[in-house]
Amino acid sequence: MEKDLLNILISPDDGTRLKEKGKHILIDHSGNIYNKFEGIFDLRPKKAIRDKIDIILKRQKSFSEYPYGTKLEPMFENQYETNDIKKNNLLQFIPPTFEEHEYYALDHGCGNASMLKMLESLGYNYVGADISSENFLKQKKNSEGVMFKADLHRLPFQDNTFHFCFSYSVFEHLQNPFLAAKELHRIMRPGSICFVAVANLVPFHMDSFFHFTHFGTLNLFRSVGFEVLQVAGSSWNGYEAISSMD
């Protein structure tokens, strides 16, 4: 494994830096061993995850006072040609890069890594994290991007690592979105950008646990330390949204 990549990894069990023990094995300070299969390290915890969050409840009125939108306002201009709706949505929130620096982007719940080539073309080192690696392997060809099998409630990355993170239709599938959001906040660099898309009106699917309102989305990420810049959806009224469908 490349040294720079090894430097951003930590054990999902004891939080210590991982060390190489041969070409296909990583080991932590406690002796936990993480193996590599088909070119991908499995960095899921060996032990059950136990964690807690210190949350201070916000004023109820602060949720109704927040300036929600019906669409997100673009933050950046990037040159990349695509007709893909998801890529175009994401493109306007990816911070620019400069050649003299290294930049890391995390695809949180990467699935088939559909954003891999776009992020690499924009100057990022692509890192994917997901519970399954099968779909990633199909996209890996001709790419420097890497993926780790990981539990998103306990990410195997150092604090303050990523310059950009995005999570597309992932949080509704997590047992405890607060723990996962806390982890996402921990591994992001100060001043970095995180883009999250969550299910609102989508019914139960693929073992989903949570479906978010605008209040719930704001509460989730603000509770774990994020500065929430924008929350937007085509409509937060379920009946209104359904009636407007073609």
Side-chain angles (χ1 to χ4, degrees):
M1 179 181 289
E2 293 182 10
K3 185 177 179 181
D4 288 347
L5 192 58
L6 187 61
N7 285 339
I8 72 169
L9 297 177
I10 61 171
S11 165
D13 289 289
D14 69 5
T16 60
R17 289 203 173 202
L18 293 172
K19 297 181 179 179
E20 286 185 292
K21 187 179 180 182
K23 216 173 178 184
H24 303 289
I25 296 175
L26 295 176
I27 187 169
D28 67 14
H29 183 75
S30 301
N32 294 302
I33 291 174
Y34 307 93
N35 295 292
K36 190 177 190 180
F37 301 98
E38 297 185 323
I40 293 176
F41 276 105
D42 188 341
L43 297 183
R44 292 174 294 179
K46 304 295 182 183
K47 303 171 185 175
I49 296 174
R50 296 177 182 275
D51 207 341
K52 56 186 178 182
I53 303 174
D54 185 16
I55 292 178
I56 299 175
L57 295 182
K58 311 295 184 186
R59 291 184 305 110
Q60 187 72 15
K61 197 173 181 181
S62 70
F63 295 99
S64 58
E65 292 173 341
Y66 187 86
Y68 304 100
T70 55
K71 65 178 182 178
L72 294 172
E73 294 298 323
M75 297 178 67
F76 306 103
E77 289 187 12
N78 286 300
Q79 300 302 315
Y80 185 85
E81 294 295 325
T82 178
N83 294 320
D84 184 274
I85 294 175
K86 285 187 176 181
K87 288 179 181 177
N88 275 318
N89 286 342
L90 190 65
L91 196 57
Q92 54 199 345
F93 297 98
I94 302 174
T97 60
F98 303 93
E99 289 185 3
E100 61 270 23
H101 299 290
E102 286 284 317
Y103 295 86
Y104 287 92
L106 177 66
D107 189 345
H108 182 261
C110 62
N112 65 3
S114 61
M115 307 292 181
L116 188 158
K117 293 179 181 177
M118 181 177 76
L119 282 161
E120 287 188 331
S121 74
L122 295 174
Y124 283 89
N125 294 299
Y126 174 97
V127 179
D130 207 326
I131 203 74
S132 170
S133 59
E134 180 180 350
N135 291 325
F136 176 82
L137 292 170
K138 299 174 185 177
Q139 290 281 342
K140 169 65 178 169
K141 296 178 182 178
N142 303 318
S143 168
E144 296 297 321
V146 295
M147 184 262 181
F148 297 98
K149 263 190 172 182
D151 189 316
L152 302 182
H153 299 89
R154 185 65 58 82
L155 294 169
F157 306 115
Q158 294 275 4
D159 294 2
N160 308 320
T161 292
F162 293 94
H163 301 79
F164 177 65
C165 295
F166 65 99
S167 182
Y168 231 116
S169 302
V170 172
F171 272 88
E172 60 265 30
H173 300 287
L174 301 176
Q175 283 188 44
N176 194 310
F178 283 87
L179 286 183
K182 174 187 171 186
E183 277 291 276
L184 196 55
H185 183 266
R186 176 185 66 78
I187 55 93
M188 296 190 65
R189 294 172 66 91
S192 58
I193 296 293
C194 182
F195 177 97
V196 178
V198 294
N200 176 23
L201 296 174
V202 181
F204 175 80
H205 65 289
M206 296 171 61
D207 295 341
S208 56
F209 286 88
F210 294 89
H211 297 257
F212 294 83
T213 67
H214 47 328
F215 279 27
T217 303
L218 176 61
N219 183 50
L220 170 61
F221 293 98
R222 199 163 60 174
S223 292
V224 299
F226 279 99
E227 179 186 358
V228 181
L229 301 179
Q230 300 185 57
V231 179
S234 56
S235 175
W236 298 107
N237 183 310
Y239 299 109
E240 179 182 312
I242 292 171
S243 66
S244 68
M245 291 180 180
D246 292 331

